[in-house]
Amino acid sequence: MKKILLLAIPTILAGCTTASSVPKPGGGAYHIIGCGTAAPLRICYERANKECPTGYKVISTDNDGVRKELTIDCDK
């Protein structure tokens, strides 16, 4: 049972991410990946890889203690 729980934790944490898009100057969009406080920032980066499978540039990161956010540009 303990092994199953340990295997399930990354899956549960990955489900705690959100992704939204905001317009960027000159066209296109930035993607904002949000993770809850319990999720390590690594989970945000894993979600960023799903949003931009060919790569991305990190525009900013924010960790206010309540929520972690990663703003990325898929157009690197």
Side-chain angles (χ1 to χ4, degrees):
M1 180 66 175
K2 195 181 229 183
K3 287 182 183 181
I4 293 172
L5 182 58
L6 289 175
L7 292 173
I9 289 174
T11 304
I12 292 167
L13 291 175
C16 296
T17 61
T18 61
S20 59
S21 297
V22 294
K24 67 180 183 179
Y30 292 129
H31 299 277
I32 301 174
I33 311 297
C35 300
T37 54
L41 193 55
R42 164 182 64 77
I43 299 297
C44 283
Y45 284 100
E46 289 173 4
R47 177 66 183 260
N49 287 325
K50 289 180 183 177
E51 295 295 320
C52 305
T54 59
Y56 58 89
K57 177 181 176 184
V58 175
I59 304 302
S60 68
T61 59
D62 186 24
N63 183 356
D64 63 8
V66 176
R67 185 166 175 77
K68 299 174 189 86
E69 285 188 348
L70 179 67
T71 303
I72 59 171
D73 185 357
C74 293
D75 295 332
K76 4 176 224 172

